[in-house]
Amino acid sequence: QAQLVETGGGLVQAGESLRLSCKAPVRIFSRSGMGWYRQAPGKEREFVAHITRNGSVRDYAASVKGRFTISRENAMNTVHLQMDSLKSEDTAVYYCAAKSTILSDVRIPTIGQYDYWGQGIQVTVSL
């Protein structure tokens, strides 16, 4: 079973907002930087955002910078992705991922460096 569980997806109109959440087991969350990826039909999975283990650094894909905000809610072992001003181009399956920092602490992990993935959740933005 998936150890990361995404919630909060759905269908919205362009310009509206959604907040995705991803809950992880504490043993994973407490030791990991957390990221979000997305994959649109016919496209490769692409980086969206990442937050370091201690929450000190946040990075975003250029396509979402200024519109999306990644954050950690440590008490709930949950990472959020607040998505504002959504565009139809944001339509995709969104995946939560965790990169353990036990052996290394990469600011922006590559897709292959993440250790755990959620099952993905659909976000659809209509025109």
Side-chain angles (χ1 to χ4, degrees):
Q1 69 274 11
Q3 298 190 71
L4 311 183
V5 180
E6 303 103 332
T7 57
L11 172 64
V12 297
Q13 294 183 356
E16 296 183 340
S17 299
L18 278 176
R19 188 183 74 161
L20 303 182
S21 299
C22 170
K23 186 174 180 63
V26 62
R27 62 181 175 83
I28 295 175
F29 187 85
S30 65
R31 299 179 180 182
S32 300
M34 304 296 295
W36 288 95
Y37 274 71
R38 67 187 183 186
Q39 187 167 27
K43 303 294 184 179
E44 295 185 353
R45 191 171 299 185
E46 67 175 2
F47 170 78
V48 175
H50 182 86
I51 184 169
T52 54
R53 183 194 58 78
N54 64 5
S56 63
V57 181
R58 293 175 285 186
D59 290 281
Y60 302 91
S63 59
V64 307
K65 191 174 182 64
R67 299 188 298 118
F68 290 10
T69 303
I70 188 170
S71 63
R72 302 178 69 105
E73 188 177 2
N74 291 336
M76 296 299 294
N77 303 126
T78 298
V79 62
H80 303 286
L81 184 68
Q82 177 67 41
M83 304 183 292
D84 297 324
S85 301
L86 282 163
K87 306 174 180 180
S88 61
E89 303 96 286
D90 297 316
T91 295
V93 174
Y94 283 70
Y95 296 89
C96 176
K99 167 65 178 69
S100 175
T101 62
I102 295 177
L103 298 180
S104 64
D105 194 357
V106 180
R107 174 170 172 168
I108 307 176
T110 64
I111 189 169
Q113 290 179 308
Y114 286 94
D115 300 293
Y116 306 96
W117 291 86
Q119 62 186 342
I121 190 164
Q122 180 70 46
V123 171
T124 301
V125 184
S126 64
L127 296 174

